[in-house]
Amino acid sequence: MNLKIIYFLDDGQGFGGAANTLLQQAVLMKKVGHQIWLCISNDKGEQIAPEYSAICGRSNIKIIRLPYQISSHPEDLDIISAMQNYPIVRTAVREYAPDLLHSIQINPVVELVSRELRIPHIMNIYQIEESFFSIPYMDIFPSYHICDSWYYANIWKKVLHSDSVCIRTIAEKPSQSTRTKGMGQPDYLVRYCCVGGIFTRKNQLEVIKAFERAICEGVKGKLVFYGYDQGAYAEECKKYLNERKLGKYIEIAGFCSTMEEAYGNADALLCGSTCESYPNVISEALAHGLAVISTPVAGVPEVVRDGFNGYLCDGFSSMDIYEKIMQFDREWRSGRVQEILANADSTYKELHSPESIGSELIKYYNHVLRNSRVTSDITMEGIEESFSEVVRLYNRNINAFIHPELVRLKLWQIYHIKKVLECFTGESERKVFIWGAGRLAKTMVAVIEVFFPFLKLQGFIDKYKEGSLFKLPVYRPEEVLKECDSIIFVGITNGQEEVLQILQESSRIYNQDYFLLTPRIW
């Protein structure tokens, strides 16, 4: 049976791992004879990353441009954009008349169109925190879901009651992928790579410290980092390298024009991630015949078995990573790594090869087509009615918001926060504070005055400022946190993660005692 499928990606200005995963699934379905269209949002402009044009050109996949927005989590959905773009997306989908819709992340427009047109819709989405769903959201989420790890597939199934499955990422095997050069030789300089943007959650500083310790213990090797290398955390890593004079052993190479070359110049992959569903780089390393040394993040232990097909760290610290580098080095010198690599190749064929993924994908598509059902009666018409008051208040007071674009992104959340607060009697008696007395403070005050007029603002919370702001006092965090009966609205982006952690540790309940009024940083 030949299927007609529209794949919906993001705005296409960047080319990340999640986008690449869905694009490769589209390419795979095209190769086996299905009719494929790739939709890229033009909501932020017509420009797209060159990778899309190159891959779609080689595969003869037509690119459609339609306006819509997506989110990687359920808190920051642009409900105004959804209302405006719904008729355009519905008209296009009706014209193409596909059998299936398959999207990346949470795409409310596509889900609601799928319900009206009775076309099954599958969502690819990965990481999630259960606390994101501590508010009883209006059900605009898909019933069918593909994840790249069972770890997160099961969490999504729990919070959405969805039909969730794990289908791993696709990786193409190059013509030459066997690593035997230097194996068993005591003086060979083993080549390590660490692939991906340098960000806190990728944990590269701990990888650097682990490799430094291994070098000090006599390991002969060179480590090269590939990927985005700008920003504060990247500068911290570079500073550490310079101060420790590690340039001879560790290099930050930035973007690589071709990852084939990067993997071809490596013997082992180091993955230190602390927050990820299942790193694409692991499937790519397995395809290229590299030994994998990884932290036990999320779905990695489902694939990498320590001492069998790779090296799985006990934790995420530099010491945990160092111990596995040392084990790998011993087994490389002894030649035992050849057995590990043979098992890793079998793992690749079973879980990451195009043949394996193609079979799993078709199996799930057929399952969805046979069992397709609409599990929610919420429609765009109903959403427009429900959100009419919130949107009206936003439009009427838009000049009062110094940052209206941020407020617009939170209207979905504001609507549901208001529902929660209205369910609790006596909320107007609780003391209300805004955490953050910086650049967003005035906008946060306006948000509370416009959307929560039944609450009385007592003041601000800030670690670094004191005195008063807009004739309201600024308190130190400990002054407010010692009071149990208070409502706190978090109104910052910089330092948001630390603030949310403090509130959680102070036994506050998210979306009951404290709420997030700015875009989620995670």
Side-chain angles (χ1 to χ4, degrees), residues 18-156:
N20 186 39
T21 295
L22 188 61
L23 179 53
Q24 292 303 325
Q25 290 173 344
V27 169
L28 194 57
M29 291 299 99
K30 177 71 174 181
K31 282 182 179 178
V32 296
H34 301 289
Q35 190 172 354
I36 301 302
W37 299 277
L38 188 78
C39 190
I40 299 177
S41 174
N42 58 7
D43 199 62
K44 297 180 181 178
E46 296 295 334
Q47 184 178 358
I48 61 173
E51 291 89 345
Y52 291 103
S53 299
I55 294 171
C56 290
R58 288 196 302 267
S59 303
N60 194 28
I61 293 176
K62 180 180 177 180
I63 295 179
I64 308 168
R65 305 306 303 273
L66 291 172
Y68 55 85
Q69 288 196 357
I70 68 170
S71 177
S72 61
H73 54 88
E75 295 186 347
D76 299 338
L77 299 176
D78 189 339
I79 202 67
I80 291 180
S81 171
M83 294 176 187
Q84 292 172 342
N85 296 327
Y86 182 81
I88 303 170
V89 175
R90 178 184 57 193
T91 298
V93 171
R94 182 180 283 134
E95 177 184 340
Y96 285 98
D99 301 302
L100 281 169
L101 305 174
H102 192 165
S103 65
I104 185 177
Q105 314 292 25
I106 298 172
N107 190 327
V109 168
V110 172
E111 171 60 18
L112 293 166
V113 166
S114 80
R115 294 179 187 180
E116 180 177 339
L117 301 183
R118 293 294 193 269
I119 301 171
H121 174 215
I122 300 168
M123 169 179 66
N124 272 24
I125 200 165
Y126 310 115
Q127 293 158 263
I128 189 64
E129 292 183 16
E130 286 190 52
S131 63
F132 291 178
F133 284 91
S134 57
I135 278 183
Y137 289 116
M138 187 180 296
D139 184 6
I140 61 168
F141 307 105
S143 300
Y144 299 98
H145 164 229
I146 293 175
C147 193
D148 60 0
S149 71
W150 281 112
Y151 179 91
Y152 279 110
N154 288 329
I155 294 177
W156 279 103

Side-chain angles (χ1 to χ4, degrees), residues 270-429:
L270 285 175
C271 177
S273 291
T274 60
C275 181
E276 204 147 2
S277 178
Y278 181 80
N280 271 345
V281 294
I282 290 183
S283 57
E284 293 169 355
L286 292 172
H288 285 78
L290 275 64
V292 171
I293 304 169
S294 178
T295 51
V297 61
V300 171
E302 299 165 10
V303 175
V304 179
R305 295 165 55 191
D306 186 42
F308 175 74
N309 59 3
Y311 300 86
L312 189 66
C313 305
D314 291 332
F316 302 89
S317 70
S318 61
M319 181 59 71
D320 294 319
I321 301 168
Y322 155 78
E323 289 174 352
K324 290 305 168 182
I325 293 174
M326 297 302 292
Q327 181 184 344
F328 163 74
D329 184 73
R330 291 192 299 270
E331 296 187 354
W332 176 275
R333 307 296 172 187
S334 71
R336 184 180 177 266
V337 166
Q338 195 156 358
E339 178 186 339
I340 300 284
L341 293 178
N343 293 332
D345 187 59
S346 297
T347 299
Y348 161 77
K349 292 174 182 175
E350 179 185 353
L351 297 180
H352 295 296
S353 66
E355 295 78 13
S356 171
I357 300 301
S359 175
E360 289 295 311
L361 205 52
I362 286 294
K363 180 180 176 181
Y364 190 63
Y365 284 166
N366 287 332
H367 163 76
V368 170
L369 287 167
R370 285 194 306 269
N371 298 280
S372 178
R373 65 198 189 280
V374 176
T375 58
S376 173
D377 59 0
I378 293 172
T379 63
M380 179 53 77
E381 184 179 47
I383 286 174
E384 289 173 344
E385 181 180 348
S386 297
F387 279 83
S388 60
E389 177 64 10
V390 170
V391 173
R392 184 184 66 80
L393 288 172
Y394 172 77
N395 289 330
R396 178 193 290 178
N397 296 278
I398 194 166
N399 293 328
F401 307 127
I402 306 301
H403 301 85
E405 71 287 353
L406 297 186
V407 178
R408 171 172 164 157
L409 194 62
K410 297 303 293 188
L411 292 180
W412 164 264
Q413 189 78 349
I414 286 168
Y415 171 87
H416 288 95
I417 290 173
K418 192 171 182 179
K419 290 284 186 184
V420 169
L421 292 178
E422 288 174 345
C423 287
F424 292 98
T425 58
E427 291 302 318
S428 59
E429 304 301 319

Side-chain angles (χ1 to χ4, degrees), residues 194-214:
C194 188
V195 179
I198 300 182
F199 300 109
T200 305
R201 65 184 178 85
K202 297 286 189 178
N203 204 31
Q204 285 97 339
L205 188 54
E206 291 300 295
V207 173
I208 290 170
K209 292 177 179 178
F211 198 75
E212 176 189 21
R213 186 182 183 95

Side-chain angles (χ1 to χ4, degrees), residues 149-179:
S149 71
W150 281 112
Y151 179 91
Y152 279 110
N154 288 329
I155 294 177
W156 279 103
K157 185 174 184 177
K158 179 180 178 181
V159 297
L160 289 187
H161 307 290
S162 54
D163 185 329
S164 298
V165 298
C166 170
I167 298 179
R168 305 290 177 184
T169 51
I170 305 166
E172 292 279 357
K173 183 183 281 291
S175 56
Q176 297 293 327
S177 61
T178 303
R179 294 285 179 273

